[in-house]
Amino acid sequence: MTTLVSWNVNGLRAAARKGFLAWLDEARPDVLGIQETKCHPDQLDPEVRQPEGYYASYASASRKGYSGVALYSRVEPLDVRFGLGLHEFDSEGRTIVAEYPDFVLIVAYFPNGSRDHHRVPFKMRYKKEILAYCNDLRRQGKKVVFCGDVNTAHNEIDLARPRQNQKTTGFLREERDWIDEIVTQGYVDTFRDLYPDRVGAYSWWSYIGGARSRNVGWRLDYFFISEGLRPHVLDAAIHPDVQVSDHCPVSLTLDLPLD
């Protein structure tokens, strides 16, 4: 059995000050994919940069204090690759790819479309390229897991106030259509597949106006799997009680070993 966790920590250094390592020591996921590290590894304290019992990998943005993803794995992956091979995305540290015997894991931090929508085209290009990357892996006979902060709520059930956010990035029709498309192409939203009618299940809350205490949130963080892994899913969960970040961790449990 393998437990994978994805978490946008909104700054790994800040998260470390708020109890990240205590959470890691208690939760002990087999794999942790982290988004929005906002740092380079040399800026981290040693116990965060290389947690005991984990192999750690980082893809950092060229610009300091921005974006960035990381992977902690209790088993050394067969291979780790950084980025999609496309500079416009890779310079922002958005993607890590780790290969294990039974699947390839992609940890991704999808761009925010920006309040004035000027980054929506960039976000949609990233979505297009990561789907092409996943499909190429499947053509090679690989099973795919991809996780991360997708910065999109798929359907009205996935945010508290859908009517008020029709023109807000993260719930624009074109952003949501991309999730429709990946589902059509054979990828499974693991949480919604198991819990199709669960309401109030969110993974991000604004810091403004006490949104978290009132559970006025969005489900922006996902584990998607290629169809062939569906029989191996034991559970998928959201962990709103973990309050280190404005996002909470989401998890996927598979009945497959990591090595």
Side-chain angles (χ1 to χ4, degrees), residues 232-248:
H232 299 285
V233 174
L234 297 177
D235 196 18
I238 301 172
H239 304 273
D241 292 340
V242 182
Q243 299 194 20
V244 170
S245 166
D246 54 348
H247 292 252
C248 73

Side-chain angles (χ1 to χ4, degrees), residues 128-139:
K128 177 183 176 182
E129 293 298 340
I130 204 160
L131 177 57
Y133 192 94
C134 290
N135 285 341
D136 185 59
L137 289 170
R138 291 173 73 193
R139 281 191 290 271

Side-chain angles (χ1 to χ4, degrees), residues 26-45:
E26 181 179 352
R28 302 303 288 176
D30 296 297
V31 178
L32 171 62
I34 303 172
Q35 302 92 49
E36 208 170 358
T37 59
K38 293 185 177 178
C39 64
H40 290 193
D42 62 4
Q43 297 176 287
L44 295 168
D45 291 338

Side-chain angles (χ1 to χ4, degrees), residues 29-30 52 54 61 93-94 103 108 116 121 131 134 137 159 164 190 208-209 211 229 235 241-242 252-253:
D30 296 297
E52 185 176 354
Y54 287 93
R94 295 197 172 274
F103 58 87
D116 65 1
L131 177 57
C134 290
L137 289 170
L159 72 167
Q164 297 93 323
T190 54
I208 299 169
L229 284 170
D235 196 18
D241 292 340
V242 182
L252 172 66
T253 306

Side-chain angles (χ1 to χ4, degrees), residues 55-71:
Y55 295 89
S57 303
Y58 296 86
S60 301
S62 300
R63 175 178 147 199
K64 287 197 171 182
Y66 177 71
S67 189
V69 291
L71 175 76

Side-chain angles (χ1 to χ4, degrees), residues 68-82:
V69 291
L71 175 76
Y72 295 170
S73 179
R74 292 173 64 81
V75 171
E76 186 174 14
L78 301 175
D79 186 44
V80 178
R81 300 184 289 280
F82 303 96

Side-chain angles (χ1 to χ4, degrees), residues 82-239:
F82 303 96
L84 299 175
L86 297 165
H87 178 75
E88 67 171 328
F89 308 123
D90 298 349
S91 64
E92 295 193 354
R94 295 197 172 274
T95 321
I96 288 180
V97 183
E99 185 154 359
Y100 296 96
D102 290 308
F103 58 87
V104 177
L105 172 68
I106 300 171
V107 179
Y109 176 39
F110 288 65
N112 186 303
S114 187
R115 188 181 297 272
D116 65 1
H117 297 183
H118 81 275
R119 290 266 284 179
V120 170
F122 179 80
K123 179 179 185 177
M124 297 308 299
R125 291 198 302 275
Y126 182 78
K127 286 183 166 185
K128 177 183 176 182
E129 293 298 340
I130 204 160
L131 177 57
Y133 192 94
C134 290
N135 285 341
D136 185 59
L137 289 170
R138 291 173 73 193
R139 281 191 290 271
Q140 297 173 43
K142 310 282 189 182
K143 294 181 173 68
V144 175
V145 178
F146 73 92
C147 68
D149 176 4
V150 177
N151 258 314
T152 304
H154 186 196
N155 290 311
E156 292 193 355
I157 195 174
D158 296 311
L159 72 167
R161 294 179 174 170
R163 184 175 57 82
Q164 297 93 323
N165 285 288
Q166 297 291 327
K167 296 182 180 180
T168 302
T169 182
F171 200 58
L172 299 176
R173 186 68 260 174
E174 64 186 296
E175 296 169 318
R176 299 165 60 199
D177 284 347
W178 179 81
I179 300 183
D180 289 340
E181 177 64 19
I182 65 174
V183 171
T184 298
Q185 292 194 28
Y187 295 90
V188 178
D189 173 354
T190 54
F191 179 82
R192 195 52 77 195
D193 189 52
L194 291 176
Y195 307 107
D197 302 316
R198 184 169 294 180
V199 299
Y202 309 130
S203 65
W204 175 81
W205 303 262
S206 171
Y207 282 130
I208 299 169
R212 191 160 191 164
S213 64
R214 295 182 292 121
N215 199 29
V216 180
W218 299 53
R219 189 169 73 99
L220 301 179
D221 303 85
Y222 298 78
F223 270 96
F224 289 99
I225 58 172
S226 53
E227 183 70 37
L229 284 170
R230 196 176 194 174
H232 299 285
V233 174
L234 297 177
D235 196 18
I238 301 172
H239 304 273

